[in-house]
Amino acid sequence: MKIIRNGLLMVCSMLYTSVLLAQSISGKITNEDGEPIAGASIQIHKTTLGASSDAEGQYAVKNIANGTWTVRVKAIGYINTEAKLTITGKDQNKDFVLASNSSSLDEVVVSGTMKEVSKLDSPVPVEVYTSRFFKANPTPSIFESLQNINGVRPQLNCNICNTGDIHINGLEGPYTMVMIDGMPIVSGLSTVYGLSGIPQSLIDRVEIVKGPASTLYGSEAVGGLINIITKNPKNAPLLSADVFGTTWGEINADIAGKFNVGKSAQSLIGVSTFNYANPIDNNHDNFTDVTLQSRVSVFNKWNFNRKDNKVFSLAGRYVYEDRWGGEMNWSKKYRGGSDVYGESIYTKRWEFFGTYDLPIKEKVSIMFSVNGHNQNSYYGNQSFMADQYIGFLQTTWNKTIKNHDILTGVAYRYTYYNDNTVATELEASKISLPGLFVQDEISLNEQNKLLVGARYDYNSLHGSILTPRINYKWNSKDKSDVLRLGIGNGYRVANIFTEDHAALTGARKVIFEEDLNPETSWNANLNYVKKFYSSGGSVFGLDATAFYTYFNNKIIPDYETNVNEIRYSNLDGHAVSKGLTLNADASLTNGLKILIGATLMDVYSEEKGEKIEQMLTEKFMGTWSIGYTIRHLGITVDYTGNLYGPMRLPLLGDLDPRPSKSPWWSIQNIQLTKAFSNGIEIFGGVKNLLNWTPGKNAAFLIARAEDPFDKNVQWDSSGNPIPTPDNPYALTFDPNYVYAPNQGIRGFLGFRYNLFK
């Protein structure tokens, strides 16, 4: 009997123990946008129990005994989180939302070396900004979203039509290459249009390289590049929507969805619309303060499943925009006439691009892009009609031999450009640009890496162009310190009428003083990154860079020799862009995220011993993005802003009463976002909290706004305006005294929705 009793006790004990260990915790791991996180680590503290999330973000930890346990969740690129759960004999469901760590060194980047590599391992410093960063200050286009990135400034070039370009470290828009998914889809004519109409809901991240990238990407990558990476259809929501409006009457809507075609392909399609049709004249100059716009864009991307994870993707985009600004009583019946002044721009733009890995063992890829741009514009009675077509084809071969990671490639680019100005009055511009490049990334050891590369291009107009570069990277053993040094060469072939709005307004005559030669530059930059990791999972970082760029043959428009002319010639001297930039960031486990940046720079030209400060370029800029998430309420507060120092402004002569320098100015915004468990977010806030506009610091912005066709201006024998009682300052009509947005304080309200499986 004793043996039987002991046996029964043992069986009962085993049954009881099995009951205690039968409980499990399961759930889903997602990011702040509701997207599943694969490969997250879930660990029961002080035990060996754990699991990893699958491709759908699902996880399950089994055989957990009764008691109170701490569950810890970790994932690369996200802030660690934990929660205490009490197990009482029942299975539990627990979902986790991980906050992205915007400063993560483990993010994958492609822009610096044209191949996927972790941000830490890249010898070229690459800044990465996720879609969550841009949602802290929602805007109708990426062009405006870049205003909160240190060292990057969207520059408006006209008070009336509000076209503009992107400045990187003080260099104007034509020095920046803009790409979508690594494809160069934008050049001079469409710097601003290429950044409009990309549905925000389709953007995964934006990568920015500051400094010349001509070795890999050729002309136009002199000052840097902006690479917009769209979402992979596999990871995108089934349906997403992002809609908001402002108290000024602006309405923006982005709708996107994905679908599968059997097991062979996934497609992602998005539509973006923006409409603003409410003329406002708060500065009382009888001109619209903000350009009225109607824009629609359609984007479609396909990914095809292939063996061995070979890539085959195709994408296309179409943008149509109708924008106008001018006198408050302007309507389309006045378009192109001399009765009421208006600037009206119709834009049609299409793009098609793709990537295909050859079905062989070697890593050989073919990339292509084609785009067309039609512009039908009137600036008062001055017409500007232009067509541009660009075709690009590139083949790359990536080969690893011991500690050498070699990338070679051949590329061909064809550009057709024609307009109705003197730039192409004899014949359309047709430029063939074949090129080849080679890059060798040498891993000297675990802490040291060297990148050497060179590119040779043959421009059909200017001949041979060689652009070499060398980059060195060192990191500490624990990878908390990274030092990078880079030296490179860049070049750019200028097309005046695609770059300078002042040449199109009809307010000035364009003078070419000589045949323009390509600009060339040498750049050196030193970058240091320091990361601090707390035991609780918080991350702190510093990112500092010193840069220096030296230009030959720089083309700088001369507005001052004659107020009725813009004179173009290659600089008989040199130009310099130099400075220091610093970013500091913190991602705390309590939900606080801070990113603060500042840039000091000096951009000037020197000719015949005279140093001239570059027009419309600040010596100091600062940016910040501060967010705090109250997790148990699902509420996030975002405070974003920028601060700019004085910059030299274009005046129309010695009598012009407007300030020759801009004041210090700042645009600040605040937003509250409420996230719900069903994938819905409601957000709202205030833009331009300080209600700052440039008109508050000048008697007027648009010169001679009351006489836009210069009908009452009197001239001397040399063709210069003279002072009269009606024109005491000897001015002509000119809308180019612009350095900041002319839109005051306004509220906004919107919602987002993401539906996953």
Side-chain angles (χ1 to χ4, degrees):
M1 291 294 295
K2 184 176 182 180
I3 295 175
I4 295 174
R5 185 174 68 246
N6 289 341
L8 289 173
L9 288 173
M10 183 178 295
V11 171
C12 290
S13 176
M14 293 174 63
L15 289 172
Y16 179 71
T17 302
S18 67
V19 170
L20 286 177
L21 297 179
Q23 289 74 246
S24 67
I25 300 173
S26 62
K28 189 173 184 179
I29 313 295
T30 60
N31 62 19
E32 296 162 301
D33 294 323
E35 299 168 339
I37 299 175
S41 171
I42 300 90
Q43 183 70 38
I44 308 300
H45 187 46
K46 295 184 179 180
T47 76
T48 58
L49 301 176
S52 295
S53 59
D54 61 19
E56 300 297 327
Q58 301 287 346
Y59 78 94
V61 182
K62 300 179 180 180
N63 299 327
I64 305 174
N66 287 340
T68 299
W69 302 97
T70 298
V71 183
R72 292 181 172 176
V73 183
K74 299 179 181 180
I76 292 175
Y78 296 89
I79 300 174
N80 300 343
T81 189
E82 62 182 40
K84 285 190 176 182
L85 295 179
T86 300
I87 305 298
T88 58
K90 294 182 180 180
D91 293 343
Q92 290 203 26
N93 182 271
K94 176 63 177 177
D95 295 336
F96 289 90
V97 178
L98 300 187
S100 62
N101 175 13
S102 59
S103 61
S104 173
L105 293 175
D106 297 309
E107 291 172 304
V108 174
V109 296
V110 296
S111 301
T113 57
M114 207 181 283
K115 51 186 171 51
E116 289 192 348
V117 62
S118 76
K119 184 178 176 181
L120 170 67
D121 290 332
S122 174
V124 179
V126 180
E127 296 182 14
V128 181
Y129 298 90
T130 65
S131 58
R132 172 56 57 178
F133 174 86
F134 296 112
K135 289 175 181 177
N137 179 31
T139 62
S141 71
I142 284 292
F143 175 79
E144 297 171 60
S145 297
L146 297 174
Q147 64 186 278
N148 290 323
I149 295 179
N150 185 28
V152 179
R153 182 169 69 85
Q155 166 65 40
L156 293 178
N157 294 328
C158 174
N159 265 312
I160 298 175
C161 69
N162 289 170
T163 55
D165 55 31
I166 301 296
H167 288 205
I168 293 183
N169 287 344
L171 298 179
E172 301 97 323
Y175 297 91
T176 298
M177 175 171 281
V178 180
M179 304 185 295
I180 297 180
D181 290 335
M183 288 290 95
I185 52 89
V186 177
S187 61
L189 182 62
S190 44
T191 299
V192 65
Y193 300 103
L195 289 171
S196 298
I198 300 175
Q200 301 262 20
S201 55
L202 295 184
I203 295 174
D204 179 65
R205 67 187 188 275
V206 175
E207 299 181 2
I208 296 178
V209 176
K210 299 173 182 176
S214 294
T215 299
L216 286 182
Y217 297 101
S219 178
E220 296 173 4
V222 177
L225 64 89
I226 299 171
N227 191 4
I228 300 168
I229 309 295
T230 60
K231 291 182 178 179
N232 187 325
K234 289 183 178 180
N235 303 324
L238 286 174
L239 177 67
S240 64
D242 192 332
V243 180
F244 73 90
T246 74
T247 53
W248 275 49
E250 301 159 296
I251 301 294
N252 186 83
D254 292 341
I255 309 295
K258 75 170 183 180
F259 58 90
N260 296 325
V261 180
K263 297 183 179 180
S264 60
Q266 306 87 35
S267 181
L268 186 63
I269 187 167
V271 177
S272 174
T273 64
F274 176 73
N275 183 267
Y276 172 61
N278 181 32
I280 293 177
D281 178 24
N282 285 339
N283 60 8
H284 308 297
D285 60 3
N286 195 41
F287 274 76
T288 53
D289 289 347
V290 178
T291 303
L292 288 84
Q293 299 179 53
S294 178
R295 180 178 67 238
V296 61
S297 171
V298 180
F299 180 87
N300 188 207
K301 180 178 182 179
W302 287 78
N303 276 13
F304 299 90
N305 300 326
R306 300 176 61 205
K307 293 181 179 180
D308 302 320
N309 293 320
K310 294 288 185 179
V311 174
F312 180 25
S313 68
L314 297 171
R317 182 171 71 118
Y318 176 79
V319 181
Y320 174 79
E321 183 177 78
D322 175 1
R323 69 163 64 195
W324 75 269
E327 294 186 86
M328 291 293 288
N329 60 330
W330 187 91
S331 64
K332 290 188 177 181
K333 68 180 181 181
Y334 297 112
R335 192 173 196 261
S338 301
D339 295 324
V340 180
Y341 189 90
E343 297 187 359
S344 172
I345 303 171
Y346 300 154
T347 299
K348 298 177 183 177
R349 179 174 178 83
W350 58 267
E351 300 150 0
F352 182 58
F353 50 96
T355 301
Y356 180 77
D357 290 345
L358 294 185
I360 57 178
K361 291 184 178 180
E362 298 292 333
K363 296 179 181 179
V364 180
S365 298
I366 298 174
M367 309 173 76
F368 76 90
S369 70
V370 289
N371 66 71
H373 186 106
N374 172 263
Q375 189 147 321
N376 179 322
S377 312
Y378 275 96
Y379 301 84
N381 56 7
Q382 176 82 22
S383 67
F384 176 63
M385 308 294 170
D387 287 290
Q388 178 177 267
Y389 301 97
I390 299 176
F392 176 81
L393 180 65
Q394 178 173 275
T395 301
T396 60
W397 176 36
N398 188 199
K399 181 71 173 180
T400 301
I401 304 175
K402 294 184 178 179
N403 62 328
H404 294 263
D405 191 349
I406 302 170
L407 180 72
T408 60
V410 294
Y412 178 77
R413 180 174 177 176
Y414 177 81
T415 302
Y416 171 93
Y417 176 77
N418 193 22
D419 64 27
N420 63 332
T421 71
V422 295
T424 57
E425 62 181 349
L426 298 179
E427 63 176 334
S429 172
K430 303 173 183 178
I431 300 176
S432 294
L433 189 65
L436 56 90
F437 59 89
V438 61
Q439 169 184 280
D440 187 6
E441 189 174 318
I442 308 167
S443 297
L444 303 176
N445 51 47
E446 291 185 359
Q447 292 180 255
N448 295 272
K449 185 174 289 188
L450 185 67
L451 177 73
V452 292
R455 182 185 183 105
Y456 171 79
D457 289 304
Y458 184 82
N459 187 288
S460 58
L461 295 181
H462 301 287
S464 299
I465 303 173
L466 181 66
T467 50
R469 79 165 173 179
I470 183 170
N471 294 81
Y472 166 75
K473 182 190 75 72
W474 169 88
N475 59 264
S476 59
K477 289 184 178 180
D478 63 0
K479 298 185 179 181
S480 61
D481 297 85
V482 181
L483 182 69
R484 297 179 175 93
L485 174 64
I487 300 174
N489 178 245
Y491 79 96
R492 186 179 74 89
V493 178
N495 187 335
I496 296 303
F497 283 89
T498 68
E499 298 164 4
D500 200 325
H501 171 268
L504 306 176
T505 62
R508 293 171 181 251
K509 183 179 180 181
V510 175
I511 304 295
F512 291 96
E513 296 184 337
E514 61 184 345
D515 291 334
L516 300 177
N517 295 318
E519 298 180 354
T520 59
S521 70
W522 282 96
N523 170 275
N525 61 75
L526 180 65
N527 171 251
Y528 174 68
V529 177
K530 174 66 177 179
K531 293 296 175 184
F532 307 88
Y533 301 90
S534 73
S535 58
S538 297
V539 182
F540 305 87
L542 294 174
D543 189 332
T545 300
F547 60 90
Y548 183 92
T549 305
Y550 184 96
F551 288 92
N552 285 314
N553 289 336
K554 201 169 193 300
I555 301 167
I556 302 175
D558 175 8
Y559 295 92
E560 298 172 332
T561 299
N562 188 315
V563 297
N564 290 316
E565 297 175 344
I566 306 175
R567 295 176 174 268
Y568 292 101
S569 63
N570 286 114
L571 183 68
D572 184 16
H574 65 272
V576 170
S577 170
K578 60 182 179 181
L580 298 169
T581 181
L582 174 66
N583 286 322
D585 61 82
S587 296
L588 308 183
T589 55
N590 66 357
L592 180 65
K593 299 177 70 174
I594 301 173
L595 176 61
I596 299 176
T599 298
L600 287 170
M601 56 188 168
D602 187 15
V603 184
Y604 63 90
S605 61
E606 192 167 324
E607 188 172 24
K608 299 177 182 178
E610 182 182 3
K611 181 180 177 180
I612 303 172
E613 180 183 340
Q614 180 171 287
M615 196 83 73
L616 296 170
T617 304
E618 68 281 4
K619 289 185 177 294
F620 172 86
M621 73 173 297
T623 59
W624 62 88
S625 179
I626 302 172
Y628 179 68
T629 300
I630 308 171
R631 293 193 177 117
H632 68 280
L633 297 178
I635 294 176
T636 299
V637 182
D638 291 296
Y639 172 49
T640 59
N642 48 53
L643 175 66
Y644 299 105
M647 59 186 76
R648 190 165 72 95
L649 302 176
L651 298 180
L652 294 180
D654 295 336
L655 298 179
D656 194 330
R658 296 172 294 182
S660 61
K661 288 281 186 94
S662 66
W664 287 82
W665 58 280
S666 174
I667 302 293
Q668 301 177 27
N669 321 283
I670 193 164
Q671 173 184 259
L672 267 68
T673 304
K674 168 62 178 176
F676 298 89
S677 58
N678 57 3
I680 293 178
E681 287 184 355
I682 304 294
F683 59 91
V686 179
K687 290 180 177 292
N688 197 353
L689 279 167
L690 304 180
N691 195 27
W692 186 90
T693 59
K696 294 181 178 181
N697 296 91
F700 54 87
L701 295 177
I702 301 175
R704 298 285 295 172
E706 74 280 5
D707 184 22
F709 297 99
D710 290 337
K711 294 179 180 179
N712 298 318
V713 176
Q714 296 185 27
W715 316 87
D716 63 17
S717 58
S718 300
N720 294 311
I722 59 176
T724 64
D726 180 60
N727 187 15
Y729 305 120
L731 303 178
T732 59
F733 174 72
D734 193 285
N736 299 299
Y737 185 90
V738 57
Y739 56 93
N742 196 31
Q743 193 172 20
I745 189 171
R746 59 205 182 278
F748 66 95
L749 181 66
F751 76 92
R752 301 186 186 97
Y753 176 65
N754 288 307
L755 173 65
F756 291 89
K757 289 183 179 179

